[in-house]
Amino acid sequence: DAQLDLLGAELFRDRDELRGRLECLSRLVLRRETGMFDQLTETRVEQSFNERVFSEFFDYKTLLSDGRGLFHLLPKHRHTQSGRTDDFALGYFGAGADIIRATVELKSPGTNLDAPQGGGYGPVSPVEQAFRASAGSAASWVVVSNFDEIRLYHADDPSRANVIKLSDVTTVETARRALALLDRRSLL
């Protein structure tokens, strides 16, 4: 934790920029507090979450972020080894050969990320699903989220995760810690 705090303080010094990024998360918390998330499924929240949280807060460029061609967030990436599709991949895309650094699995708001999902997934938890999807990929990281809790796993170790609760990211200091884990400059 101390190392993350040091990294966050070093990389993210501009308090005004951090306050601007926090505005994005405050909208997410407001939607949650009003009960809107209780009514929405993963697919209803996913694109806004990707565009706002990962693009605005964590600074990943999406397909249409700028005109230079290179972007960092590729939705619905199909892994050739496992044949499975994740919700999105993080890396370097649009410049020829894609480089995948992380695969991301999103689940409906409030989903327990460790509990078996049932239905078409059977006794597989969202964490297990994410690791199965990324099997055989070159990704170093696996990210699993229920739109509040975001877990960052090393691709070789599903037993340990760094955890961020977006609803707890309300100050410059907590923003720095979250960014030290998941910001484009840190993770990629």
Side-chain angles (χ1 to χ4, degrees):
D1 286 345
Q3 288 179 323
L4 283 175
D5 291 337
L6 286 172
L7 178 62
E10 178 65 29
L11 288 178
F12 308 102
R13 295 177 185 210
D14 186 336
R15 295 178 80 79
D16 290 333
E17 176 193 344
L18 290 170
R19 285 187 195 100
R21 288 192 190 202
L22 281 168
E23 284 180 34
C24 167
L25 293 187
S26 68
R27 293 188 298 268
L28 178 75
V29 170
L30 178 63
R31 295 286 191 203
R32 182 174 289 104
E33 288 173 352
T34 62
M36 180 175 279
F37 272 24
D38 299 336
Q39 305 166 34
L40 299 173
T41 63
E42 168 192 336
T43 55
R44 296 273 182 184
V45 179
E46 184 175 346
Q47 292 310 311
S48 289
F49 187 79
N50 295 354
E51 288 288 333
R52 297 298 173 219
V53 175
F54 273 85
S55 182
E56 282 184 35
F57 185 75
F58 292 120
D59 198 34
Y60 290 91
K61 303 294 180 228
T62 62
L63 178 63
L64 301 177
S65 291
D66 68 29
R68 289 183 274 169
L70 182 67
F71 59 100
H72 308 109
L73 191 152
L74 181 65
K76 304 298 181 192
H77 176 262
R78 184 168 177 82
H79 296 273
T80 54
Q81 290 284 80
S82 69
R84 294 189 168 106
T85 302
D86 57 30
D87 287 313
F88 62 92
L90 298 172
Y92 300 96
F93 307 103
D98 294 341
I99 300 170
I100 299 168
R101 296 284 189 229
T103 64
V104 181
E105 182 62 39
L106 300 173
K107 289 298 167 186
S108 294
T111 297
N112 180 334
L113 300 177
D114 296 311
Q117 299 175 81
Y121 297 106
V124 175
S125 74
V127 172
E128 292 168 322
Q129 178 190 354
F131 273 86
R132 286 181 181 182
S134 70
S137 76
S140 300
W141 305 103
V142 174
V143 177
V144 185
S145 178
N146 62 10
F147 301 107
D148 184 30
E149 181 179 349
I150 300 177
R151 295 183 186 178
L152 174 66
Y153 294 88
H154 192 278
D156 294 333
D157 188 1
S159 67
R160 267 186 13 186
N162 286 297
V163 179
I164 298 168
K165 282 195 74 167
L166 294 175
S167 57
D168 293 339
V169 180
T170 58
T171 66
V172 166
E173 290 72 27
T174 56
R176 283 183 175 144
R177 185 174 194 285
L179 293 166
L181 273 176
L182 286 170
D183 184 80
R184 174 182 53 85
R185 291 180 282 175
S186 300
L187 194 61
L188 297 187

